Amino acid sequence: MIKEWATVVSWQNGVALVSCDVKASCNSCASRAGCGSRVLNKLGPQTSHTISVPSEQPLTVGQKVELGIAEGSLLGSAMLVYLSPLVGLFVVAGIFQMLFGTDLAAMSGGALGGVGGFMLARGFSHKLAQKEAWQPIILSVGLPPDMLRVETLSSEAR
């Protein structure tokens, strides 16, 4: 099970809208100065993803919840998204190369196969998203933000 903490944005009728922050793994690496991935992460937008998750327990805005998703569904979706365009590219490029015998035909076939593989992945992803095993679930719920109060003693009271 892959786990991630999220913040509740809203809760209505048994469905919680939660926000997950995008985390870059580049902040903990020792080679920060010479890393190209760190530079690319700075260029891209640092956004958060908002998803809806079923929750029978009433939740309050700002409350933390731990989400989980099965490894198999995550790996399956990654394979679908990355491998289907790649396989389409190589297969259709090979077929066009055999049929027409030119590099231009192979390049055109590769482009068509890549786009076709992407469209295939897009079509399957909507069907797979309907399966319950591919949906994130709430594993644990943190305290509401107004229930926890921390008091610190001033330096004069010590």
Side-chain angles (χ1 to χ4, degrees):
M1 180 80 47
I2 308 278
K3 300 174 183 177
E4 183 66 40
W5 284 93
T7 306
V8 176
V9 176
S10 69
W11 181 86
Q12 292 177 352
N13 302 328
V15 176
L17 193 63
V18 297
S19 174
C20 302
D21 292 329
V22 176
K23 294 179 183 170
S25 60
C26 296
N27 293 334
S28 61
C29 181
S31 62
R32 291 182 197 165
C35 181
S37 295
R38 178 174 166 82
V39 174
L40 289 176
N41 280 340
K42 282 186 174 183
L43 293 176
Q46 297 295 325
T47 60
S48 62
H49 299 285
T50 305
I51 57 174
S52 58
V53 181
S55 171
E56 298 300 323
Q57 177 182 354
L59 301 171
T60 60
V61 175
Q63 194 170 5
K64 296 285 187 178
V65 293
E66 185 179 28
L67 301 177
I69 190 166
E71 287 101 353
S73 63
L74 189 64
L75 290 174
S77 62
M79 285 178 54
L80 177 68
V81 168
Y82 291 112
L83 287 181
S84 59
L86 189 63
V87 169
L89 181 141
F90 285 120
V91 169
V92 178
I95 291 172
F96 273 43
Q97 178 68 35
M98 285 187 340
L99 290 176
F100 301 110
T102 65
D103 290 340
L104 183 61
M107 186 175 69
S108 300
L112 286 174
V115 170
F118 174 74
M119 298 304 282
L120 183 72
R122 188 173 178 191
F124 273 122
S125 68
H126 291 297
K127 292 179 183 175
L128 292 175
Q130 302 299 324
K131 291 186 175 184
E132 190 172 321
W134 289 60
Q135 299 296 322
I137 58 171
I138 294 178
L139 299 175
S140 62
V141 179
L143 289 174
D146 58 350
M147 285 192 69
L148 184 64
R149 190 175 80 202
V150 179
E151 292 182 15
T152 58
L153 296 174
S154 67
S155 60
E156 296 171 1
R158 292 184 197 175

